[in-house]
Amino acid sequence: MAEQNTRLGILMMVTTTFIFAVQDGISQYLAREYNVLMIVMIRYWFFAAFVMTVASRTAGGLRAAARTDQSLVQGFRAVLLVAEICVMIFGFTLLGLVESHAVFACYPLLIAALSGPVLGESVGWRRWAAIGVGFVGVIIILQPGFGVFQPEAIVPLIAALMFALYGLLTRYVGRRDSAATSFFWTGTVGSVAMTAVGLWFWEPMSAYNWLWMAALCVTGAAGHYTLIKCYEVAEASAVQPFAYLQLVFASTIGILFFSETIRTNVAFGAGLIVAAGLFTLWRQRLRG
């Protein structure tokens, strides 16, 4: 087991959030030019190759990584994640990085809210209060009732709900399966599922955009690698609050490269969501 090093873990989490933010920026660019399903399919081909390479170098190899008695749940959570990625990238094309990530930041609150009915965990009144504050932030961002409500604003909220359910199912299978097994199923089953769908939407891609596609694949693998290393050297409760920096990095990329702006209600709403999320993480750490 790797020696615990919280400072290095925080640095790795910050690096991970930056890499994932860059990945989201590339995804937004490519999704404006090509079909989302094709983009995610190609990205998952590379991801599956990365997962299998990592698994082959661990004790027991591919056979040990694939071994589980929860295959249905593992398969479902893998398909759920790849579907969530498609929905989120589609959200980028509708709303941009700033507003999509501002709404998506509520997913830890959704995990806290659903952990009771899904996993049977106890959720105290303080965390319920924080969840309520966070969803006030979501309402402030979406602004229902102000002018004409845009239905596309719900897209990143749907993605957040899907990702929260994925996170809960990951915790559920983690009671009996190792992280390596869950990681293996995520990449391989996700790749098969996306290939079955994405091949129907294949489009010719220019040589220039193939370079961006390669960059997307590399950032995806690099982000997962740094995230794995992060959790190897530090406790999740210590580094998880820094995951919110992805909102900052993604918003910066949206402003600098896609001429997006931050509306006052989005900034205020996102602030409430992040504050509520940090509070729930703090309460979880105290309970732990």
Side-chain angles (χ1 to χ4, degrees), residues 62-224:
L62 296 175
R63 187 182 298 274
R67 188 179 299 116
T68 179
D69 58 359
Q70 305 178 95
S71 55
L72 288 179
V73 182
Q74 285 283 14
F76 177 73
R77 56 174 285 283
V79 172
L80 184 64
L81 178 62
V82 75
E84 178 273 323
I85 291 172
C86 292
V87 172
M88 192 62 180
I89 294 176
F90 180 59
F92 295 158
T93 66
L94 297 175
L95 299 174
L97 294 175
V98 174
E99 296 194 18
S100 293
H101 272 282
V103 175
F104 186 77
C106 74
Y107 80 84
L109 301 175
L110 289 169
I111 290 177
L114 294 173
S115 61
V118 176
L119 298 178
E121 297 178 357
S122 174
V123 180
W125 69 268
R126 294 180 181 83
R127 282 206 285 174
W128 275 119
I131 291 166
V133 170
F135 283 105
V136 169
V138 172
I139 292 172
I140 291 173
I141 294 171
L142 298 181
Q143 287 188 313
F146 288 81
V148 179
F149 177 69
Q150 296 180 326
E152 55 264 30
I154 299 296
V155 172
L157 186 59
I158 294 173
L161 180 60
M162 295 170 72
F163 191 71
L165 182 55
Y166 164 80
L168 289 169
L169 290 177
T170 299
R171 281 161 60 174
Y172 176 82
V173 297
R175 293 171 175 176
R176 302 209 305 264
D177 290 340
S178 68
T181 295
S182 293
F183 191 52
F184 178 84
W185 278 76
T186 298
T188 54
V189 174
S191 177
V192 172
M194 274 314 304
T195 301
V197 176
L199 280 178
W200 297 96
F201 298 90
W202 185 269
E203 303 174 50
M205 187 178 294
S206 68
Y208 175 75
N209 283 329
W210 270 113
L211 293 176
W212 282 113
M213 190 71 239
L216 178 64
C217 294
V218 171
T219 53
H224 283 290

Side-chain angles (χ1 to χ4, degrees), residues 41-57:
M41 176 184 69
I42 298 173
R43 167 180 161 181
Y44 254 78
W45 287 348
F46 192 89
F47 181 37
F50 172 72
V51 166
M52 294 179 73
T53 300
V54 171
S56 65
R57 296 183 177 182

